[in-house]
Amino acid sequence: MKPLSPGSTIGVLGGGQLGRMLALAAARLGFDVVVMTPRADDSAGRVAARTIVAPYDDDAALAALAEVADVVTFEFENVPAEVVGKLQALGVETAPGPRALAVAQDRVEEKTFLNAVGAPTVGFAVIDGPADILPALDKLGAPALLKTRREGYDGKGQTWIESHADAHAAFDRIGRRPAILEARADFVREVSVIAARGRDGEVACYPLAENHHEGGVLRRSSAPTKASAATVEQAETIAARILTRLDYVGVMGVEMFELKSGRLLVNEFAPRVHNTGHWTLDGCEVDQFEQHVRAVAGWPLGPTTPLAHVEMENLLGEEADAWARLAAEPEARLWLYGKGEARAGRKMGHVNRLRPLKG
Ligand code: AMP
């Protein structure tokens, strides 16, 4: 594909805050964004040039999107992988392609792929029914984490199993769905790397972020975080393997556990821009959203050099009501997502607090 000229149209499947920030970045480079989302009042539609409101599997809507878009990307990894295949069949380029989505959507496929490309993970076992849990617990040890294979995010669809006696109840708690049992990662901290791959195969990684979750939801990221050269090299090697083996185009977030030994285990990867990369909006020469737009448009990747140290804090639910106080903080950059209803735990915005890089 030739690099897209400014004035071209980028289609985005999904209408959340990630789509919104992609649309803002795309607009700055002269592109128009068409968002396709099932919900009319979504965050991204408010800043996109056009919104197609339809379910992702609506054939007429997909045809309309393919008609206007020069390339289609997504901001939401639970878009059915077949939809991306359909768009390709309609003759429109998609980036990333359907394989990255299909692998990331199933935790068993994902871990199997990761191990095959030399990206280590915790031990795991496939759970098709409660009878599979006891032998898996014997193999992996207790406590272990039972997660649905598909459609889990932000800590949803997962539950700890403390002992054999809890196995059946745990399977009920996740809705008796096909699952994976994961050994507990005995980590000292959680880190992530935001990595990009261009159409020419070039890979660029941002500095590592250290992440803090509460109840499975990201609360804060701090970046660039202190890490040894060996840790950074491991993270970048892992990211490059994943991107290259998927023939990936675009930005990806790779979440990892750092063990006491310094070894990194991959928890999961997200085939899209990522919450732990929001710090780049104010902390880097080119942020993750512009980087993704550059990659999918076939432009050269931009520099990932950090310009400041950033503490990123998610604003959940009513926390975003403090916008006036936050806006008055001199070192804070406020990002609000234009969502109407501040339901408890809903990601309404984030704040990046900047300080100079040391040395
Ligand atoms: P996930 O939905 O897989 O991103 O998991 C959400 C959070 O649960 C992670 O960020 C970790 O804090 C925790 N977690 C997930 N998997 C494991 C594991 N195998 N061992 C320990 N903690 C985990």
Side-chain angles (χ1 to χ4, degrees), residues 107 145 147 158 182-185 187 190 213 257 267-268:
R107 293 186 189 275
L145 191 52
K147 300 180 179 177
Q158 43 186 277
E182 294 186 11
R184 184 177 65 167
F187 57 83
E190 294 188 74
H213 294 84
F257 300 124
N267 175 28
E268 60 183 5

Side-chain angles (χ1 to χ4, degrees), residues 4 8-15 32-38 48-75 79-80 82-96 101:
L4 293 184
S8 305
T9 297
I10 298 177
V12 175
L13 295 173
D32 278 341
V33 162
V34 178
V35 163
M36 179 163 152
T37 166
R50 198 179 142 196
T51 308
I52 298 173
V53 182
Y56 297 120
D57 58 359
D58 180 320
D59 286 340
L62 288 172
L65 180 66
E67 183 66 35
V68 291
D70 297 292
V71 66
V72 175
T73 187
F74 38 87
E75 58 101 57
V79 169
E82 311 83 80
V83 164
V84 177
K86 269 189 195 166
L87 284 166
Q88 289 188 336
L90 288 165
V92 65
E93 185 89 32
T94 74
L101 260 187

Side-chain angles (χ1 to χ4, degrees), residues 3-357:
L4 293 184
S5 342
S8 305
T9 297
I10 298 177
V12 175
L13 295 173
Q17 66 271 14
L18 301 178
R20 179 183 178 97
M21 291 183 275
L22 278 173
L24 293 171
R28 221 178 34 175
L29 296 181
F31 295 111
D32 278 341
V33 162
V34 178
V35 163
M36 179 163 152
T37 166
R39 282 173 299 273
D41 61 345
D42 258 356
S43 173
R46 291 169 183 272
V47 302
R50 198 179 142 196
T51 308
I52 298 173
V53 182
Y56 297 120
D57 58 359
D58 180 320
D59 286 340
L62 288 172
L65 180 66
E67 183 66 35
V68 291
D70 297 292
V71 66
V72 175
T73 187
F74 38 87
E75 58 101 57
F76 170 59
E77 71 267 33
N78 286 326
V79 169
E82 311 83 80
V83 164
V84 177
K86 269 189 195 166
L87 284 166
Q88 289 188 336
L90 288 165
V92 65
E93 185 89 32
T94 74
R99 177 152 151 74
L101 260 187
V103 173
Q105 282 172 356
D106 182 320
R107 293 186 189 275
V108 172
E109 296 279 333
E110 185 180 33
K111 285 205 167 49
T112 307
F113 164 81
L114 288 167
N115 287 307
V117 304
T121 66
V122 290
F124 65 96
V126 179
I127 305 295
D128 291 324
D132 297 329
I133 295 181
L134 296 188
L137 264 185
D138 288 337
K139 181 176 107 176
L140 302 168
L145 191 52
L146 186 67
K147 300 180 179 177
T148 56
R149 282 178 70 149
R150 306 179 73 88
E151 282 161 13
Y153 67 96
D154 285 350
K156 295 192 177 72
Q158 43 186 277
T159 186
W160 284 100
I161 302 186
E162 302 292 335
S163 68
H164 281 71
D166 188 31
H168 278 267
F171 198 65
D172 290 343
R173 289 200 294 278
I174 62 154
R176 304 185 71 76
R177 290 195 283 156
I180 183 172
L181 190 68
E182 294 186 11
R184 184 177 65 167
D186 192 12
F187 57 83
V188 288
R189 60 174 184 159
E190 294 188 74
V191 295
S192 60
V193 62
I194 304 296
R197 186 166 176 273
R199 287 197 182 269
D200 58 359
E202 181 194 354
V203 171
C205 293
Y206 288 91
L208 291 192
E210 177 176 330
N211 308 313
H212 296 271
H213 294 84
E214 279 168 25
V217 181
L218 183 71
R219 286 298 337 203
R220 279 172 288 119
S221 287
S222 167
T225 186
K226 275 208 187 83
S228 69
T231 303
V232 171
E233 200 200 318
Q234 266 184 88
E236 292 186 350
T237 303
I238 286 171
R241 283 182 183 160
I242 300 172
L243 292 170
T244 307
R245 290 289 286 272
L246 290 171
D247 195 18
Y248 193 88
V249 171
V251 164
M252 170 183 283
V254 186
E255 293 187 72
M256 290 168 292
F257 300 124
E258 185 177 342
L259 307 184
K260 207 169 171 187
S261 62
R263 187 156 178 257
L264 296 178
L265 300 180
V266 179
N267 175 28
E268 60 183 5
F269 67 84
R272 52 169 171 75
V273 287
H274 198 247
N275 196 167
T276 68
H278 289 1
W279 72 275
T280 63
L281 282 163
D282 299 299
C284 288
E285 278 187 37
V286 165
D287 65 71
Q288 65 163 348
F289 299 97
E290 176 175 337
Q291 192 76 302
H292 187 74
V293 170
R294 282 173 173 250
V296 305
W299 286 27
L301 297 182
T304 52
T305 323
L307 301 174
H309 184 277
V310 181
E311 295 284 335
M312 189 287 306
E313 184 186 350
N314 273 339
L315 300 173
L316 304 178
E318 289 175 352
E319 290 167 5
D321 295 348
W323 55 267
R325 176 176 59 73
L326 294 164
E329 279 183 36
E331 308 306 333
R333 303 278 186 282
L334 187 57
W335 292 80
L336 296 172
Y337 305 152
K339 295 183 182 177
E341 196 197 338
R343 286 194 304 272
R346 191 177 192 202
K347 290 176 180 169
M348 301 299 289
H350 70 268
V351 60
N352 281 337
R353 294 190 173 87
L354 277 60
R355 58 184 159 80
L357 285 174

